Amino acid sequence: MTIHRIADLLRTGQPDQSINIQGWIRTKRELKEFTFAEVNDGSSLASLQVVINQDVPNYAEVVRKLNTGASVEVSGVLVPSLGKGQRIELKADAIAVHGEADPETYPLQKKRHSFEFLRTIGHLRSRTNTLGAVFRVRNACAHAVHQFFQQRGFLWVHTPLITASDCEGAGELFTITSLNLKDLPRTENQEIDFSQDFFGKRAYLTVSGQLEAEIMATAFTNVYTFGPTFRAENSNTSRHLAEFWMIEPEMAFCALDGNMTLAEEFLKFVFKAVLETCPEDMEFFNQRIDNSVLETANHIIDSEFERITYTEAIALLEKADRTFEFPVSWGLDLQSEHERYLAEELFKKPLIVTDYPTEIKAFYMRLNDDEKTVRAMDILVPKIGEIVGGSQREERLDVLERRIKAAGMPIEELWWYLDLRRYGTVPHSGFGLGFERLIQFMTGMTNIRDVIPFPRFPQSAEF
């Protein structure tokens, strides 16, 4: 027996077509002669209206069980709908209730629930209109990510989740261990003896797959990673997660200009793909969440991104006719308020800022001839600020060794990374962007915890 997806039926279903659907009851309305029920299977924002006449087997018992949240299987015939806002509806011949939902205790009733409340029922919140739309957009965006890179001949590489190196040098890592925490082995200096741990050394959950992607780029030229990363950053904000997904391409024989061009093309591609794949969901966000969602998406697609240096950005910020909360000075990193001012108010479109001061960027970014700046680039967009960060990597062995030492990092642990510069070194570049930040930007959702199915953040690892 073929099961039809509701999204397909709403789009192409025809009257007199015999069909079978499965899904969950959204609402029920009982009248004297018959009952209306809205069934949704997660494939679309809209539900399919089912008309249940009294000639349906076990009518009274079935209708009694059709409460919000109950799971059903319905067979019948599509008929033209007399109601507004729907082209067709399903006249039921038979209904099987697979799982009931007690109307007294089921948390999702026909009313608006706050996102804060919905986070407490993460096992059920995906059945709501908003979260359903979010995760369909997330799916479409993930598919577009792979499409973009695969069409350009990139190799998808699976970088390790367990690592012994701190890519960012920020120290915000989750340590993993198999040691007995009640009886930790100690060295003579009374430090934890990680040589007795599973890997024979200290190990962490990865903060980035970039360094491993650089390895693969020196063999396959163009590669990308797309997988989970972790930050032990104690930030209880609407923009931070402890576990999130990262997209990180790495390109050999590519300087900063090529890196910026690819990043701009990437953003345009995924926004266009999502608008084409999920028009109903994006319209929902535009109506219910943020009325500039569609305008912003089209602005990304149609705009040519501005390009300025960090030094030029600082000069523009110093001339701004406003007072910022955080100071503006050459050598200080740009804060979100600075980035948003540049993108939203000054340029009124996405822009790419390049050549940041050495001290505020990572050790692997290529040092410019002035020895004060590196070949870094950040893409700034309205409402979010930075959405993409990248750089041309330092391919010169002597300079990289000097940068690692200056960062206070253990050079002996990066012996393999230095080998990439000893054997067939090549100019190469890459960028990274947090997948959840991208989904937030697309949908207008204000809290990053609402664009990932099971958010991880300080003091919370539920579901």
Side-chain angles (χ1 to χ4, degrees):
M1 179 178 63
T2 301
I3 301 298
H4 297 80
R5 295 291 276 170
I6 287 174
D8 297 332
L9 294 174
L10 293 173
R11 190 165 48 246
T12 62
Q14 297 299 319
D16 300 325
Q17 180 182 351
S18 295
I19 64 158
N20 301 280
I21 63 168
Q22 297 167 334
W24 291 265
I25 299 294
R26 284 291 177 87
T27 63
K28 174 183 71 174
R29 184 158 55 97
E30 291 185 64
L31 303 177
K32 283 186 178 181
E33 304 296 326
F34 54 89
T35 297
F36 289 120
E38 298 280 341
V39 178
N40 190 285
D41 63 1
S43 63
S44 69
L45 185 66
S47 301
L48 180 62
Q49 179 165 278
V50 178
V51 184
I52 311 159
N53 291 325
Q54 293 187 2
D55 56 1
V56 167
N58 302 312
Y59 174 83
E61 182 183 355
V62 166
V63 168
R64 179 183 60 79
K65 295 178 179 179
L66 296 184
N67 298 306
T68 300
S71 60
V72 296
E73 185 170 327
V74 186
S75 59
V77 178
L78 291 179
V79 296
S81 178
L82 300 177
K84 293 182 179 179
Q86 55 203 17
R87 182 177 60 86
I88 54 171
E89 59 192 21
L90 174 58
K91 182 179 181 298
D93 293 330
I95 300 177
V97 179
H98 289 295
E100 296 183 53
D102 184 348
E104 299 298 321
T105 60
Y106 184 59
L108 295 174
Q109 294 301 320
K110 192 180 177 183
K111 65 175 184 178
R112 283 205 172 183
H113 300 284
S114 72
F115 292 127
E116 290 77 13
F117 168 72
L118 291 176
R119 279 177 225 131
T120 69
I121 53 168
H123 57 307
L124 298 172
R125 69 173 185 163
S126 298
R127 302 183 189 184
T128 64
N129 284 339
T130 303
L131 275 297
V134 166
F135 298 136
R136 281 188 295 272
V137 166
R138 184 183 173 103
N139 173 71
C141 190
H143 181 64
V145 168
H146 288 297
Q147 274 187 308
F148 177 83
F149 291 115
Q150 293 293 329
Q151 288 175 7
R152 287 159 177 76
F154 279 64
L155 186 80
W156 181 24
V157 297
H158 300 157
T159 52
L161 301 186
I162 299 173
T163 181
S165 59
D166 177 7
C167 173
E168 298 298 324
E172 296 165 343
L173 300 106
F174 286 102
T175 298
I176 62 169
T177 182
S178 64
L179 295 174
N180 182 354
L181 299 182
K182 293 182 179 180
D183 186 21
L184 291 170
R186 301 282 179 176
T187 65
E188 291 182 359
N189 298 329
Q190 292 303 301
E191 295 179 349
I192 298 172
D193 186 1
F194 284 101
S195 69
Q196 297 186 43
D197 207 348
F198 188 90
F199 295 105
K201 61 172 72 173
R202 193 160 187 162
Y204 314 94
L205 292 178
T206 186
V207 298
S208 169
Q210 180 202 310
L211 302 190
E212 292 84 1
E214 288 186 55
I215 293 175
M216 301 300 280
T218 61
F220 297 96
T221 307
N222 293 328
V223 303
Y224 71 104
T225 77
F226 184 14
T229 54
F230 309 85
R231 300 281 168 91
E233 186 177 4
N234 192 18
S235 296
N236 254 312
T237 77
S238 62
R239 300 178 73 243
H240 290 88
L241 290 168
E243 176 185 304
F244 56 97
W245 285 60
M246 283 280 284
I247 303 156
E248 296 177 296
E250 198 72 30
M251 296 80 67
F253 307 99
C254 179
L256 189 67
D257 283 346
N259 193 25
M260 291 189 288
T261 298
L262 187 83
E264 180 174 345
E265 291 174 352
F266 171 79
L267 286 177
K268 292 177 185 295
F269 182 93
V270 294
F271 270 90
K272 189 170 187 291
V274 169
L275 286 183
E276 292 173 352
T277 307
C278 301
E280 183 186 30
D281 293 316
M282 292 299 287
E283 182 62 44
F284 171 84
F285 291 120
N286 203 69
Q287 289 181 1
R288 299 291 185 89
I289 304 298
D290 181 343
N291 64 10
S292 64
V293 160
L294 294 178
E295 179 187 354
T296 299
N298 286 310
H299 201 40
I300 291 284
I301 296 167
D302 298 332
S303 296
E304 181 178 345
F305 292 15
E306 192 74 33
R307 297 184 183 186
I308 63 172
T309 66
Y310 166 88
T311 301
E312 291 168 337
I314 291 296
L316 291 169
L317 290 167
E318 288 176 336
K319 293 176 185 174
D321 56 349
R322 66 173 56 213
T323 301
F324 295 106
E325 180 183 353
F326 292 93
V328 174
S329 177
W330 201 98
L332 298 179
D333 206 356
L334 298 180
Q335 300 298 318
S336 180
E337 61 173 338
H338 307 142
E339 296 167 343
R340 291 186 59 178
Y341 168 77
L342 291 168
E344 287 176 29
E345 300 183 43
L346 201 58
F347 289 97
K348 294 183 171 60
K349 64 177 181 176
L351 74 150
I352 309 177
V353 180
T354 66
D355 302 295
Y356 282 78
T358 307
E359 287 74 17
I360 62 174
K361 289 296 181 181
F363 72 93
Y364 51 74
M365 297 186 178
R366 194 183 200 279
L367 193 63
N368 281 322
D369 292 341
D370 62 11
E371 298 261 328
K372 294 180 180 179
T373 60
V374 290
R375 298 293 284 155
M377 70 95 174
D378 288 342
I379 297 184
L380 314 182
V381 294
K383 299 194 174 183
I384 293 286
E386 179 198 342
I387 196 169
V388 173
S391 73
Q392 184 172 333
R393 317 310 189 189
E394 183 55 76
E395 85 280 13
R396 298 164 296 183
L397 177 62
D398 58 332
V399 179
L400 183 58
E401 287 179 327
R402 177 157 50 97
R403 295 293 310 283
I404 292 173
K405 291 175 182 176
M409 300 180 70
I411 198 166
E412 62 277 3
E413 292 184 9
L414 289 169
W415 61 272
W416 53 271
Y417 192 63
L418 294 168
D419 267 5
L420 298 178
R421 279 70 180 172
R422 293 188 180 100
Y423 310 123
T425 190
V426 62
H428 60 292
S429 300
F431 61 84
L433 71 158
F435 188 53
E436 284 72 25
R437 290 268 180 95
L438 181 59
I439 303 302
Q440 241 193 307
F441 183 45
M442 281 185 170
T443 60
M445 296 293 287
T446 57
N447 197 311
I448 200 167
R449 298 171 187 178
D450 298 324
V451 298
I452 188 170
F454 308 106
R456 300 291 184 250
F457 51 91
Q459 305 300 308
S460 181
E462 296 293 327
F463 315 109

